[in-house]
Amino acid sequence: MFNWQGRTDTEDGNKGLRWHQVVNQQGHSDLPAINLVGLASDLGVRANKGRPGANEGPVSIREALANLPWHWGARLIDSGDTLADSDLSDAQSHYANAVSQALLQSQFVLGLGGGHEIAWGSYQGLYNTLQTSSHQSKKIGIVNFDAHFDLRRPAPYTSSGTPFRQIHAHCEQHGDDFQYACIGVSRAANTPALFDFADTTATRYLLDTQCTLDAAQAMLTPMLQKVDQLYVTICLDAFPASAAPGVSAPSALGIDVLFVIQVLHFLAQQQAACNYRWALCDIAEMNPAFDIDKRTAKLAARLGFEVADAVLPAR
């Protein structure tokens, strides 16, 4: 388990608490909770011919989260990491089980990566939860902030570039609709074959040159009205390399951080209007081996903070 530590402001009492001071505290079990679940893996990145080092990502994100202030009347739980040493599929299954356990306890899950192979594990965790619970609403929608579609064909192995292709195959196998939206796609980072597959599968997407809040809302609302459960995943390579140098494949252009924050809050606010539940988000491709001044880790932590702010009740 990660050793949470950081600054303490005892002179401010409970209003001076930070993440490291509230994590895994006993009591108040009736309060809503956010649960940190990590997949410490760069096996998928290596298989995708990317830069290794993402297996240290979850620890780096926690270090950046530790000193952030805690603003909410909620609990913070850290369930630790699944370590992916040699068998990616097995690690994804173990991570999925940890996600399911948290979701079955009505906790919001914030997944910490690791390579974007975390997405296949996150989806399995949510899907399995819906099969074993009393939830009648099982149509899953996916919003991915990413420079890449990650719809690659396994060739022959799965990787950080294949998770949404795996999800599509799973949907076909089980007769489910593939409801997938990718925001921030770079034409310079995806082949025509990937665009063709995206079009064939009715994937919704915005290019990095098209990302405005109005455009995102217009694209996402019809999908949100069709789904019952929402899974959001944030790939840190969606952002400019100046903001996120510590990733497997840095972006030459990228999308604006504020835009992503605005969309995250929009997704939380639309739950009642569109009648879906958002209980799962992950942050992927954190690679501290290539980070500069901990910029990427701080960005990941800010995004985690904004997710918490969007879904948790104020103090």
Side-chain angles (χ1 to χ4, degrees):
M1 293 293 291
F2 176 73
N3 181 25
W4 287 87
Q5 56 186 329
R7 173 173 173 158
T8 59
D9 299 315
T10 55
E11 68 276 15
D12 294 325
N14 286 337
K15 290 191 175 181
L17 295 177
R18 299 173 186 272
W19 286 53
H20 73 92
Q21 293 171 283
V22 301
V23 65
N24 292 335
Q25 294 297 307
Q26 301 299 316
H28 302 290
S29 59
D30 56 329
L31 291 176
I34 189 166
N35 194 326
L36 307 178
V37 185
L39 178 60
S41 172
D42 67 2
L43 295 180
V45 172
R46 292 171 184 267
N48 201 31
K49 304 175 184 177
R51 305 190 297 181
N55 56 318
E56 298 294 332
V59 168
S60 183
I61 297 174
R62 286 187 181 87
E63 288 174 346
L65 285 169
N67 263 339
L68 296 184
W70 187 255
H71 283 273
W72 310 282
R75 294 174 294 143
L76 175 63
I77 300 166
D78 184 2
S79 291
D81 296 334
T82 296
L83 305 179
D85 294 325
S86 57
D87 189 324
L88 178 56
S89 179
D90 184 62
Q92 287 168 320
S93 294
H94 279 89
Y95 165 78
N97 287 337
V99 169
S100 290
Q101 290 176 20
L103 291 174
L104 287 171
Q105 298 177 64
S106 299
Q107 297 164 358
F108 187 98
V109 173
L110 181 60
L112 308 178
H116 215 166
E117 58 264 33
I118 194 175
W120 174 231
S122 289
Y123 178 84
Q124 288 183 91
L126 177 56
Y127 183 87
N128 292 341
T129 300
L130 300 178
Q131 306 313 303
T132 58
S133 72
S134 60
H135 285 292
Q136 298 301 311
S137 51
K138 300 180 180 180
K139 297 178 182 177
I140 299 174
I142 304 168
V143 176
N144 178 25
F145 296 94
D146 204 330
H148 306 90
F149 283 118
D150 287 347
L151 288 168
R152 291 182 181 276
R153 187 195 309 270
Y157 304 110
T158 62
S159 71
S160 61
T162 65
F164 303 105
R165 185 106 176 200
Q166 292 171 265
I167 292 170
H168 175 262
H170 185 274
C171 289
E172 282 200 322
Q173 180 182 353
H174 293 85
D176 299 325
D177 290 339
F178 182 59
Q179 298 288 349
Y180 174 49
C182 192
I183 300 175
V185 175
S186 168
R187 288 190 71 246
N190 294 269
T191 63
L194 292 170
F195 277 97
D196 286 348
F197 189 78
D199 292 338
T200 299
T201 55
T203 294
R204 299 169 172 86
Y205 62 88
L206 285 179
L207 298 177
D208 49 11
T209 55
Q210 300 172 326
C211 286
T212 66
L213 182 58
D214 287 345
Q217 291 174 340
M219 180 187 73
L220 292 173
T221 299
M223 184 184 82
L224 297 176
Q225 293 171 339
K226 294 180 180 179
V227 303
D228 307 305
Q229 307 287 332
L230 182 66
Y231 159 44
V232 178
T233 179
I234 306 171
C235 185
L236 292 167
D237 71 18
F239 301 97
S242 57
V247 295
S248 172
S251 177
L253 181 60
I255 59 178
D256 185 67
V257 177
L258 180 57
F259 159 75
V260 174
I261 291 173
Q262 291 172 332
V263 177
L264 291 173
H265 284 267
F266 165 76
L267 293 173
Q269 294 160 2
Q270 288 298 110
Q271 290 182 89
C274 294
N275 195 29
Y276 62 86
R277 171 176 175 261
W278 178 25
L280 172 60
C281 178
D282 59 43
I283 301 173
E285 295 290 339
M286 176 66 228
N287 187 333
F290 296 94
D291 210 0
I292 300 172
D293 296 331
K294 299 185 178 180
R295 293 179 203 169
T296 318
K298 291 178 180 178
L299 171 59
R302 179 58 188 264
L303 293 168
F305 178 94
E306 294 295 338
V307 170
D309 200 42
V311 301
L312 295 178
R315 188 186 298 276

